[in-house]
Amino acid sequence: MDKYLVGKISEKQEIKVQVPGSKSITNRALLIAALSDCRCTLHGVLFSDDSRAFLDCLIKLGFDVEVDEEKKDVTLQGTGGRIPNSHVSVDVRSAGTAARFLTVMLALAGGEYEMHASPQMCKRPMRPLLDELERAGVSFEFLGESGHFPFVMKSENISLKEVTIDTGISSQFASALIMSGVMLPDGLKVVLEGDRTEGSYIRMTIAVMEQFGIQVVREGRTCLIPHMDSFGRREYQIEPDVSGACYFYGMAPLLGTDVLVKNVHMDSLQGDIKFIKLLQQMGCGLKDEPEGVWILGKGLSGYEGQDISMKDFSDQTMTMAALAPFAKGPTLIRNIGHIRFQETDRIKGILTELGRMGIDCAEVPEVDGIRITPGEIKECEVETYEDHRMAMAFTLVGLRTGKITIKNPQCCRKTFENYFDLIETLYE
C-alpha cells in the first residue's frame, strides 16, 4: 500500500480499540532481562520493526530467545552481563533504542562488534554517547560519517565509574548508561545534564529496573546504579503502548465521541499519559475503569487552542498539531526543539505538511516551539518522511475532513503494524 486515503467519519457513538504493547517498555525489558541471570518470559511484547530489530540483534549475539508472536510472548535467558557471541556483526536497523541501548551494553561487556543500521538511523546522532564510551577506553572505527553508524567497536578492561551525559539531544543516551551500569564491578554514577534531566523516559527506565530488582538511587541530577551479580524475574507484563493509544484518544475531542483503549490506566509508567491529561484540559471527560481509560468527547462543543510545554511527552507533538487546526484559537507548543533529531526533523515536517494543508503555522524560536492557527483544510497528500508518528497523527485530520491521503503508510510498521487495520474498523 503506497497511499492511504483517509475517509471522513461524520458520527461515531464510541470507539473501543486494543493497541500493541509499549515499544519503550518492550526494548527496556528485553535489555534488562538479557543482563539478568534469570529466564524471563515477557508478556504483551510489541512486535514491530523496532522490537524485531532488537530481538534479531540479541539472537545474533547468542542469547537464548524463544518468540511466540501469536501470544505476544518472548522468553529470554539472561546471561548475567556476559555476551555469548562477543565477536559478531549486528544491524539495529531504524531502532533508536536498540542503537543506543545495545551499543552501551556491548561496549561495557567487552568484545568486538560491527554495528550497522538503516540509512535513516545512520543520520541520527550518536556522538555524545560514543565520546563518553571512548573516554572509558572503547575504540571506534567509523565505516561512514564520524560519530554515526556504521562502526566497528572494540573494548576490554573498561574503566568507568562516573559519566556525565547530556539529555538534550536524546534521553536514550542516559537510559542506555543507567541500565547497563549494573554490569560494571563498582556500579556507575550517571550525572545528567541538559534540559530533560527529569524526563519521563528516564523515569520509565528507572521504574522498569526497579521492577526487575535493581534499586537505582536518584539524587537530584545524579543516578547511582549499583553493581548486582544476581537480579531478574521469571515473568514480566508489558503495558499497552500509550503513545499509540493517544492517536485514538485524540479522536474524542476531534470527532466528538467517547474513546476507550483497553488496558490503558492512569498509573502507567509512560510519559505520554500526560497527553490524556491535556485532553482533560481541553474539555474532555475521563474515566479510569477496569477495562481501561475512557476519554469522553461526546457532546463537547469544540475545544480551545492550547499553550503547552510538550517537552516531557513530545512524541505527541504531531497529534496535538493534528488537533490544532480545528481548535477555537491558536495553539502554541513549547520546548520541543529536540524532536528535530528523531526519525526526521519533526518540526520541519509538521510545518511543511500543515502548510500543504493550507494551515498557517510557524516556528517560534523564543519558546523552542511552534504556533498553529486554525483554518480550512485543503485536500492534499501528506508526506510522512519514513516517520511512523507523522503518518499516524495526520490520519486524524483525514478522519475529520476526508481530505487527507497518507503517503507511505507502511512506515507505521516501526511501532504499530496494524494501525491502519484499526482505522478501517472505525468505518464499520
Side-chain angles (χ1 to χ4, degrees), residues 2 20 70 124 142 156 166 178-179 202 210 223 234 301 327 361 366:
D2 296 327
E70 189 175 338
R124 294 179 68 180
F142 295 104
E156 60 177 323
D166 189 352
I178 290 168
M179 285 188 288
I202 294 173
E210 289 175 348
C223 298
R234 300 297 178 189
S301 58
C361 52
E366 57 267 30

Side-chain angles (χ1 to χ4, degrees), residues 67-347:
V67 175
D68 188 331
E69 287 206 23
E70 189 175 338
K71 291 184 177 178
K72 307 300 183 191
D73 286 353
V74 169
T75 300
L76 173 61
Q77 177 62 58
T79 56
R82 183 184 62 82
I83 308 301
N85 293 340
S86 59
H87 291 74
V88 73
S89 173
V90 297
D91 188 344
V92 301
R93 309 210 290 256
S94 293
T97 47
R100 280 70 180 258
F101 296 175
L102 289 173
T103 294
V104 175
M105 180 182 81
L106 299 178
L108 300 189
E112 180 176 340
Y113 307 95
E114 192 168 308
M115 310 289 289
H116 293 273
S118 70
Q120 183 190 45
M121 186 61 222
C122 289
K123 296 175 185 175
R124 294 179 68 180
M126 288 289 293
R127 173 63 76 186
L129 187 60
L130 303 186
D131 282 350
E132 294 303 327
L133 294 174
E134 206 162 33
R135 278 191 273 275
V138 183
S139 69
F140 295 94
E141 176 192 348
F142 295 104
L143 306 177
E145 183 182 352
S146 178
H148 293 259
F149 278 86
F151 52 79
V152 176
M153 178 175 67
K154 299 178 185 177
S155 65
E156 60 177 323
N157 302 322
I158 292 299
S159 175
L160 186 63
K161 295 184 179 180
E162 180 175 339
V163 61
T164 299
I165 193 74
D166 189 352
T167 61
I169 294 175
S170 176
S171 64
Q172 289 175 357
F173 298 159
S175 288
L177 290 160
I178 290 168
M179 285 188 288
S180 288
V182 72
M183 303 164 63
L184 296 170
D186 298 312
L188 183 62
K189 179 180 180 180
V190 179
V191 181
L192 306 176
E193 289 188 341
D195 62 357
R196 290 193 291 159
T197 59
E198 298 297 326
S200 58
Y201 285 108
I202 294 173
R203 292 197 299 271
M204 177 198 292
T205 296
I206 293 171
V208 176
M209 291 173 72
E210 289 175 348
Q211 290 172 341
F212 275 82
I214 306 167
Q215 295 301 315
V216 177
V217 177
R218 183 79 191 262
E219 298 175 349
R221 294 189 171 203
T222 299
C223 298
L224 302 173
I225 299 93
H227 168 73
M228 295 184 67
D229 290 317
S230 180
F231 65 90
R233 54 191 299 163
R234 300 297 178 189
E235 293 187 284
Y236 185 80
Q237 180 67 50
I238 292 164
E239 296 179 3
D241 183 34
V242 173
S243 298
C246 286
Y247 304 115
F248 295 93
Y249 283 136
M251 296 173 195
L254 186 71
L255 304 177
T257 189
D258 297 341
V259 179
L260 169 79
V261 183
K262 296 176 183 177
N263 302 315
V264 170
H265 295 286
M266 293 305 293
D267 60 357
S268 168
L269 299 179
Q270 299 167 70
D272 278 6
I273 205 76
K274 288 188 175 183
F275 184 77
I276 296 176
K277 296 173 184 176
L278 174 58
L279 293 175
Q280 273 189 295
Q281 187 175 307
M282 292 165 65
C284 292
L286 183 152
K287 291 192 296 185
D288 192 344
E289 298 187 339
E291 192 178 6
V293 168
W294 279 97
I295 295 297
L296 309 173
K298 195 173 177 184
L300 191 66
S301 58
Y303 49 89
E304 298 296 331
Q306 300 296 303
D307 183 339
I308 183 77
S309 170
M310 297 189 72
K311 177 172 68 173
D312 212 23
F313 56 117
S314 62
D315 277 350
Q316 294 310 313
T317 302
M318 283 72 72
T319 318
M320 193 66 218
L323 300 183
F326 308 100
K328 295 178 180 178
T331 290
L332 180 64
I333 304 174
R334 301 171 178 264
N335 303 317
I336 54 169
H338 60 279
I339 71 172
R340 294 186 187 282
F341 307 105
Q342 296 180 317
E343 279 79 348
T344 187
D345 179 343
R346 286 177 169 169
I347 289 180

Side-chain angles (χ1 to χ4, degrees), residues 358-377:
I359 297 300
D360 180 18
C361 52
E363 193 168 349
V364 187
E366 57 267 30
V367 299
D368 210 12
I370 55 176
R371 179 182 286 107
I372 303 167
T373 303
E376 187 70 27
I377 298 292

